[in-house]
Amino acid sequence: METATISVAATEEIKPPLTGIGVIGWARKNLFSGKFNTVLTLLILFALVKTVPPFIRWAFVDSLWSSESQACKEAAGACWSVVTNNFRFILFGFYPYDQQWRPILAIALLVAFVIYSHSRRRWNKNLLIAWPLGLALMGIIMHGGIFFLPEVETEKWSGISLTLLLAIFGLSAAYPLGVILALGRRSRLPAIKALSVVYIELIRGVPLISMLFMASVMLPLFLPEGITIDKILRAQVAIILFTAAYIAEVVRGGLQAIPRGQYEAAEALGLSYYQKMRLIVLPQALKTVIPPTVSILISAFKDTSLVVIIGLFDLLKTTHVTLSNPDWMGFSNEAYIFTAMIYFVGCFFMSNFSRRLEAQLKT
Amino acid sequence: MNDKIESQEKLSDSPIIQIIEMHKWFGDFHVLRDINLSVNKGERIVICGPSGSGKSTLIRCINRLEEHQRGRIIVDNIELTNDIKNVEKIRAEVGMVFQHFNLFPHLTILDNLTLGPIWVRKTPRAKAEDMAMYYLEKVHIAEQAKKFPGQLSGGQQQRVAIARSLCMKPKVMLFDEPTSALDPEMVKEVLDVMIQLAQEGMTMLVVSHEMGFARSVAHRVLFMDFGQILEQNTPKEFFSNPQHERSKLFLSQILH
């Protein structure tokens, strides 16, 4: 009889203990547990009270949104008019004013593509073909010279369209190149391995700025007379080569994390090298290195702003130029906050996308 | 299943695997010495011996997961050389089951099974899937087809690994300590599948310490130590009357 009661008692459902009830319970547990944490909480609260309300007053209450520069100089708050009045120059720079619907269209197209491709369920062969076609179409819209579109030379491409151009092409070409370099560095063929190692170490040992300088100043010296390569293209190639070296090292880390047994099982089935890599090794390796890869892509996106030093007018440079206008001098806080927001949206999208991708690929 | 399976089919005389005076070194370490072995179609061989004796290395040489440095290995009339195309051809005909299963964790069970047939044999997907389901039923695990390897127990994973090899319709199956990584209660389910395979006449080379399995299905037991085949005999003779001093010692240690 006794054993029976024991077994009943043992199987009786026992609920987990209730720790902390309601707001007070939560706050006590998370904000005021112990002296040190209480002091810390109070300090942070004090700092927030001191900074947040003044910022909100400056940015939203006392601010001017679409005034002349003269009114701005007398206002106490933020002068967002520097952005609203120079909106089109900051975004599109020297792109001919009456043609600026074209970069708008191209960017809208890009955003549509990105949003459509956001979900992994839509990834298929058609989409893989649609992307290069779409990018080519954006290029045609921007460059023109055919149909009824007047030609706009690349020297005039500037602002956000240049930033996005450098970023999108830079990242999407650097990634596959980086994967190939990582595979090359782990190759058993000594020549390919040596070439990859030299490339990666050389590029990683040089700052991006010096690569941009080399591409814009030194490269033309070595080219035969009469041959010129587009300046944007040269900067683009420098960015691609630079980013690829970093991606290669991250991907190599992922490849090394794949157990030997996976290679052996793939080989034992009779898969060729390319099949083994494509079907077994890379899907697992690239998945494990999503977080560091996205870090590199995000920093590469921001590093496109370094092209200012070779005289390209990207988003940051057009903002800068706007501020050199005597009317709008001194409103750099507002203008740079606006530009930072644009960069932030791009970066946030990337990190958000990577988090979703990781969740979807979790097995 | 206690008695030895009487093989219905007569062993064919043409050897499917021939190893002639084969040597292998890991660096300076002479891991395989002068191996001579001929395996006929339908023959079942169990290889045993202490750890480090070279038995796993020997069967891994047969599908060239390890390269030998001297001598010849001929599988299914193709000699193993550096010619990667030949190696891939042989690997497609030789199935291998690993100690740690080595299933592909990013693919479902079904995709694990259809991968080889689709990409190596160029079988249409629908046909490959039918075949995969047939073999999954055979190893009693068809209901798990849509799951991922990580969701299965060790014994189930090893049965999936066997089915994955069978999907390639191999002429030879190599087993590299297939039950040593399993919890004791899962060993039987894997051995049962292997016995079933033996009954159907599969040519098998099994590195294993499962002496009961060796007794009931093997035609021949090889005993290896110091990288050499020290003794080979029928299981009955080997277990009751071992010849070599090392085999006697080994058997006294594992058979209590």
Side-chain angles (χ1 to χ4, degrees), chain A residues 71-122:
Chain A
C72 264
K73 285 182 178 138
E74 287 145 18
C79 171
W80 299 113
S81 317
V82 63
V83 173
T84 48
N85 278 341
N86 300 292
F87 194 64
R88 286 177 66 166
F89 182 80
I90 291 176
L91 291 186
F92 305 115
F94 300 107
Y95 205 91
Y97 199 78
D98 56 341
Q99 295 291 326
Q100 285 181 1
W101 59 272
R102 283 158 57 178
I104 294 174
L105 181 63
I107 290 167
L109 207 59
L110 179 71
V111 170
F113 260 93
V114 167
I115 289 175
Y116 184 83
S117 312
H118 200 255
S119 168
R120 216 175 130 259
R121 261 166 292 149
R122 300 207 180 107

Side-chain angles (χ1 to χ4, degrees), chain A residues 176-198:
Chain A
L177 183 60
V179 172
I180 290 169
L181 281 168
L183 291 176
R185 188 161 187 174
R186 282 174 60 81
S187 168
R188 263 192 266 168
L189 306 171
I192 292 180
K193 184 178 176 149
L195 217 62
S196 309
V197 171
V198 168

Side-chain angles (χ1 to χ4, degrees), chain A residues 188 258-284 287 361-363, chain B residues 60 63-67 85 87-88 91-92 94-96 98 101-107 112 115-116 119-120 122 148 164-165 168:
Chain A
R188 263 192 266 168
I258 304 299
R260 187 84 208 106
Q262 292 291 308
Y263 291 84
E264 287 178 352
E267 284 163 13
L269 280 175
L271 294 176
S272 68
Y273 174 83
Y274 295 101
Q275 290 170 335
K276 176 178 73 181
M277 286 303 169
R278 213 192 95 197
L279 301 167
I280 307 300
V281 177
L282 282 178
Q284 297 184 57
K287 190 178 87 181
L361 290 173
K362 205 161 148 199
T363 51
Chain B
R60 286 160 61 87
N63 63 354
R64 213 174 174 78
L65 289 181
E66 304 286 355
E67 270 175 46
K85 284 289 156 218
V87 172
E88 280 165 15
R91 282 172 177 166
V94 178
M96 185 158 203
F98 298 88
F101 335 132
N102 296 355
L103 295 178
F104 305 129
H106 61 302
L107 299 176
N112 264 278
L115 190 89
W119 293 94
V120 179
K122 313 290 178 206
F148 286 91
R164 176 174 70 179
S165 289
M168 292 293 285

Side-chain angles (χ1 to χ4, degrees), chain B residues 138-157:
Chain B
K138 216 165 164 172
V139 300
H140 319 294
I141 209 160
E143 69 282 358
Q144 316 278 13
K146 294 288 173 205
K147 289 194 184 166
F148 286 91
Q151 297 166 293
L152 268 55
S153 74
Q156 289 174 320
Q157 289 194 44

Side-chain angles (χ1 to χ4, degrees), chain A residues 37 45 69 164 188 198 204 207 264 276 278 300 306 314 317 333:
Chain A
N37 288 344
L45 275 178
S69 59
L164 285 176
R188 263 192 266 168
V198 168
R204 285 205 308 170
E264 287 178 352
K276 176 178 73 181
R278 213 192 95 197
L306 291 174
D314 79 323
K317 184 68 179 171
N333 283 347

